[in-house]
Each structure stands twice: as structure tokens, then as C-alpha cells.
Amino acid sequence: MDKKSPIKITLTERNDAVTITQWVYQTLRNAVMYGEILPGRALTIRELAGIMDVSPMPVREALRQLAAENALEIQGNRRVMVPKMTAMKFNELCEARIAIESHAAARALPYIDGERLEQLHSLDALIDQAQAADNLEQISLLNQNFHRALYTANPHQVTLPLIESLWLQLGPFMRLATNELDEHYLVDRHNEAMAAIEKKDAYALQIAISADIREGIAFAGTPEMLHSLIENSEP
Amino acid sequence: MDKKSPIKITLTERNDAVTITQWVYQTLRNAVMYGEILPGRALTIRELAGIMDVSPMPVREALRQLAAENALEIQGNRRVMVPKMTAMKFNELCEARIAIESHAAARALPYIDGERLEQLHSLDALIDQAQAADNLEQISLLNQNFHRALYTANPHQVTLPLIESLWLQLGPFMRLATNELDEHYLVDRHNEAMAAIEKKDAYALQIAISADIREGIAFAGTPEMLHSLIENSEP
DNA sequence: GCTACTACTTTGTGATCACAAACATTAGAT
DNA sequence: ATCTAATGTTTGTGATCACAAAGTAGTAGC
């Protein structure tokens, strides 16, 4: 029956306040983000519906939405799967993150008030704690929250959806990398970013954000490392 | 029955080779892109299904996909509409275009070969013709093709979907602006871009692309102009 | 005349069914 | 033994139906 590896998805409790489609969407999104689904593995509507114990309809809609966000890929065969990664594509995604996120940071800078600064500081402190506890999942989650909190300071923000799309595409492979290398320690560039924010220095902020992104992925950026994790994606 | 303005959508012939959902998606996408649907106008599944003479199902999927691309907005009420524009948001969209597209251009530059250069030259020539004929629709369509041809030279391109999302969000308002101002003539920055490409000068190319985008929207960028077209969106 | 409650309509959501294309498997011919 | 043709199964697509939430209108009460 299961020709491929059985899909294992972490199911969260379904809140009755949200629609089934939204719940399925969030569940699948997390599964992709945390690399629970192997790239190249064909996803069928009915199989997922069976796993999550819902009708095929919400799954259909969630899959289409994730495909529109480039988290999934619909081939000509109408088959849906997590897109496979290549070294060049990985590099392009990282460079795109740097270009867009440093832009978003600079655009958000003028809007950062005391309250937002407070929020960023507390997130930074939490990240330090998580780093001391060596909790990789927590680190990457808080790191996302930090970046999101920074960019959303701009009330006319339009780039966050684009940035989240890039995170989604990189997600599975960041995870695979962090799983393999638990000895990585990343210099805390957030302190530099905080200093730049307090000085309202847009250029310094862009430098700090760029460095943060570059170092966050540097441990996966060596050609050998990349090669190995890409090979892991092949059947 | 029609409490709001009746929706008028240009329907193209449906090719049997594509699925109904794809056809509906393309039709609605064009309608949004060309400003055929007023921002703020509530879109209902059944109404659109009736107009396009299909069942509600393909419309549902197409709407969700367009919403995922930020072309439509789903409010808390579950109502779907073309998002309203504000002057600040318009500005953010333009700045985002400049940041991402100049990045994409620089990243594509090393991959441009003779064939691609030829293609860009012929597109440039077509734009000149359309400009001579004062065919605004043709100009903006060809302009898009020019940019797309440039960015897709990079075989590991990952930013084009993001760029298209920005085009979609700006689309309706570019159209409104060009309709109101038929006296605008834009300096042909494509020649500068072509020169930069032939010299393989990434920095000059970024300058040219930025200028092209900035001038393409400059006629709508004056506060009065913007104010008027945003007012037009209100009921 | 204005507000609040109720009945009615509209609309999105989700399940089920029918169907055709894609896929896998098996049988037959060279 | 290998390639091809035929058969059976799986899967996405699209239509229809049931239902609950949101919206609308109409009426009673102050």
C-alpha cells in the first residue's frame, strides 16, 4: 500500500474556532517547514485526507494554497510534492533573502518606537536563553519571530508574505542541516542589529541583517554539506 | 439583485487542454491585473461562477490561489475583494519592486547569452513600435515581457513569483493611472539596460532597471494623482 | 423616529459522488 | 526475454448537496 515512505505529520489539536481548511493548511505548512515530508515524495489528496481524518476537500484547498506560496510544486502530471533542492537554488534563495530582508529592515526602521524596541529586546534575550540551552528548534522559531517583529514595524509592509515564502522554501533544508550539525554556534548578530536600530542607522542595520542571514545558513553553505543534504533528498 | 456595480470580465475562449480551474484562474488574474474589478467590491463565489458559467468549485480554488498571491484579500468576514490601495502602500510596492527586480537583474546578468540578448533586443524594438503607435496596453504588456525575459535568464531563478505578485498588486492602479494620463512619454531606459548588459556591468544594469521602474510609475507617483485614483476606489 | 429582536436570504465550508486522465500490472506476440 | 497492448486501479477534477454562519430586511416596542 505504502510504496513510498509513510508520511509522518505532527498533528496539533484542532481548534473549533478555525475552519478545517485553515487547520489542514497550518499543519501541512509546519510539516513542510520542519522537513517532515521528504522532497520528491508524491503527495496525494486522499492519502493526506486519510492521515488527518478529514474529507479530501480541505486538503485540496490547502495544497493549492501552499503551491501558490511556492512551498509545494505541482508537476505537469498534476502530482504535488516538496520541490527538490539544488546547490544553486539554495544559494539563490539565500541571496534573495538577504536582498529582500535587508530592504524590509531599512524600510521598517523609521517606524520602530519604544514599544517595538522593547519587544525586540525581549525576543533577543529569549534567543540567548535558547542558545544557552542549545535548543535548536526554539532558536530558529524565535529567530523568525525576531525578524518578523522587525519587519512588521512598518505599518505599510508589503514584503513579509514574500519573505515568508522564501522561509518556507528554505525551511526543510535548514532543518536537515541543523539536525546534522549540532555543534554550530552562531555569533549573535542581533546585538549589532539592536545597536543599529537604536542609532537609527539604516545602513548598519542592513549590514547586521545580511550578516545574520548569511551566518545562519553558513553552516549549510559549504559545498560538501550542501551536496550531502541534497543527496539525501534523492530516493 | 446587483447591489454593487455589475462585474464585467473579459472572457477568453476556453482551451480544452487546460483545466477549468486554470482557465478561471487566468481569467480572474487578468481581470485583477487590468483593473476590471473595483477594489473593495465584494466577490462572491456563486456570482463569479454564474458569470463564467462554471460550477462554484473551480472559482473557489482560483480565488484561494489568487489570495495566496496577494492579488486578492480575504477579510475576517470571509469576504473576498481586491485590496484597496493607499498612497503609502503604493510607495512600498514600488520600492519593493526596485529592490527585488534590480537584485534579480544583477543575478541574471552572468547567464545572458547571445540568444537571450537577441530576444531582449527584439522586445525592445517592439516596445519602440508600440510607443510610436501610442498603444498603452501593448507597451505595458511588452514591458512585462522584457523584464521577465531578463530575469528568467537565470536558470536558478527563485524571485520571479515574488515579482509577479508585486505586479499583480500594482496592476489595477497602474492601469487606472495610464487611462487617465495618455500624454505621458517615458524615456526609454531599456536602451541603457541593454548597454549595461552588453558590457556585463551589473551596477549599471541595476541603475537602469531601477530608473525604468521608477519612471514607469512616476506619472502616478505625484501625491495629487495618487490621491485621485485612490479616491476612485472608494464607493 | 429610533433601536432591538426575529425571520429570511445569501454565502462560504465541507462532504459525497461521477468521471476521465494517469499509472501500474498483466497478458500476449515477436 | 523484451516490447507492446489491454485491463484494472489510483488520483485529480468538477458538480451537487447539506449545513451553519454572516448578512439583510422587516416588524414590534419604546
Side-chain angles (χ1 to χ4, degrees):
Chain A
M1 189 66 76
D2 293 326
K3 354 210 133 167
K4 293 278 200 165
S5 57
I7 296 181
K8 204 66 193 162
I9 295 178
T10 59
L11 301 174
T12 67
E13 194 65 26
R14 189 168 90 227
N15 184 355
D16 281 0
V18 288
T19 63
I20 295 182
T21 301
Q22 288 172 326
W23 177 74
V24 171
Y25 168 78
Q26 273 300 334
T27 303
L28 288 179
R29 185 189 153 101
N30 286 340
V32 171
M33 191 73 163
Y34 297 150
E36 294 181 347
I37 305 174
L38 285 190
R41 171 70 156 86
L43 297 179
T44 67
I45 294 176
R46 285 175 173 89
E47 182 185 14
L48 291 174
I51 293 176
M52 306 179 71
D53 194 35
V54 296
S55 92
M57 189 69 48
V59 177
R60 226 210 277 194
E61 307 226 321
L63 286 182
R64 195 171 284 271
Q65 187 166 347
L66 286 166
E69 299 178 70
N70 304 303
L72 297 177
E73 186 181 285
I74 27 181
Q75 303 174 295
N77 338 340
R78 294 168 175 176
R79 273 274 160 71
V80 178
M81 60 179 217
V82 178
K84 293 186 180 179
M85 184 58 73
T86 67
M88 294 301 290
K89 193 174 158 194
F90 190 87
N91 194 32
E92 287 292 333
L93 285 168
C94 293
E95 293 299 327
R97 270 198 67 187
I98 292 169
I100 301 179
E101 293 193 39
S102 65
H103 169 81
R107 281 261 136 194
L109 184 54
Y111 296 99
I112 292 178
D113 55 6
E115 189 181 0
R116 180 75 57 162
L117 198 63
E118 193 67 32
Q119 185 189 0
L120 289 171
H121 265 125
S122 65
L123 277 171
D124 191 24
L126 285 176
I127 291 176
D128 286 343
Q129 289 179 22
Q131 223 148 22
D134 217 30
N135 188 340
L136 287 177
E137 291 190 25
Q138 193 73 2
I139 290 176
S140 83
L141 183 66
L142 287 170
N143 193 47
Q144 273 187 33
N145 288 347
F146 181 86
H147 284 252
R148 217 189 319 257
L150 173 55
Y151 309 144
T152 54
N154 182 349
H156 311 104
Q157 172 69 40
V158 297
T159 51
L160 190 63
L162 313 183
I163 293 170
E164 301 248 13
S165 168
L166 294 177
W167 290 354
L168 258 178
Q169 293 176 71
L170 281 168
F173 302 93
M174 302 290 286
R175 174 68 163 217
L176 286 177
T178 55
N179 271 350
E180 292 186 7
L181 194 142
D182 50 358
E183 279 295 336
H184 89 286
Y185 73 103
L186 43 124
V187 186
D188 193 355
R189 295 291 184 177
H190 291 173
N191 289 334
E192 293 181 20
M194 295 303 300
I197 290 170
E198 285 170 354
K199 279 190 295 188
K200 293 287 181 191
D201 184 343
Y203 186 68
L205 177 58
Q206 290 192 323
I207 300 289
I209 292 294
S210 297
D212 182 47
I213 295 172
R214 217 178 277 280
E215 287 175 13
I217 54 90
F219 58 87
T222 63
E224 316 84 49
M225 197 91 211
L226 261 179
H227 191 262
S228 76
L229 74 85
I230 289 166
E231 285 306 291
N232 284 346
S233 308
E234 305 290 339
Chain B
M1 189 67 73
D2 293 326
K3 353 211 133 166
K4 293 279 201 160
S5 57
I7 297 181
K8 203 68 193 160
I9 295 179
T10 58
L11 301 174
T12 67
E13 193 66 25
R14 189 166 90 228
N15 183 356
D16 280 1
V18 283
T19 63
I20 296 182
T21 301
Q22 289 172 325
W23 176 74
V24 170
Y25 167 77
Q26 273 300 334
T27 304
L28 287 179
R29 185 189 152 100
N30 285 340
V32 171
M33 191 72 162
Y34 297 149
E36 293 181 347
I37 305 174
L38 285 191
R41 171 71 156 84
L43 297 179
T44 67
I45 294 177
R46 286 175 172 88
E47 181 186 13
L48 291 174
I51 293 175
M52 305 180 71
D53 194 34
V54 296
S55 92
M57 189 69 48
V59 177
R60 226 209 279 195
E61 308 227 320
L63 286 182
R64 195 170 284 271
Q65 189 166 347
L66 286 166
E69 297 178 70
N70 305 302
L72 297 177
E73 185 182 286
I74 27 182
Q75 303 174 295
N77 340 340
R78 294 169 173 174
R79 272 273 159 71
V80 177
M81 60 179 220
V82 178
K84 293 186 180 178
M85 185 58 73
T86 67
M88 293 301 290
K89 194 175 159 193
F90 190 86
N91 194 31
E92 287 292 334
L93 285 169
C94 293
E95 293 299 327
R97 270 199 69 187
I98 291 170
I100 301 179
E101 293 193 39
S102 65
H103 169 80
R107 281 261 138 194
L109 184 53
Y111 296 99
I112 292 177
D113 56 7
E115 189 181 359
R116 182 74 57 159
L117 198 63
E118 194 65 32
Q119 185 190 358
L120 289 171
H121 264 125
S122 65
L123 277 171
D124 191 25
L126 285 175
I127 291 176
D128 285 342
Q129 289 179 22
Q131 222 148 21
D134 219 30
N135 188 342
L136 287 178
E137 290 190 27
Q138 193 72 3
I139 290 177
S140 82
L141 183 66
L142 287 170
N143 193 46
Q144 273 186 34
N145 288 347
F146 181 87
H147 284 251
R148 219 189 316 258
L150 174 55
Y151 309 145
T152 54
N154 183 349
H156 312 102
Q157 172 70 39
V158 298
T159 52
L160 190 63
L162 314 183
I163 293 170
E164 301 249 12
S165 168
L166 294 177
W167 290 353
L168 258 178
Q169 293 177 68
L170 281 168
F173 302 92
M174 302 291 286
R175 174 68 163 220
L176 288 176
T178 53
N179 272 349
E180 292 187 7
L181 195 141
D182 49 358
E183 279 295 335
H184 88 285
Y185 73 103
L186 42 124
V187 185
D188 193 355
R189 294 291 184 177
H190 290 173
N191 288 335
E192 295 181 18
M194 296 303 300
I197 290 170
E198 285 171 353
K199 279 190 294 187
K200 293 287 181 189
D201 184 344
Y203 186 67
L205 177 58
Q206 289 192 323
I207 299 289
I209 293 295
S210 298
D212 181 48
I213 295 173
R214 217 177 277 280
E215 288 175 13
I217 54 91
F219 58 86
T222 64
E224 316 84 49
M225 199 89 211
L226 260 180
H227 190 263
S228 76
L229 75 86
I230 288 167
E231 286 306 290
N232 284 347
S233 307
E234 304 289 340

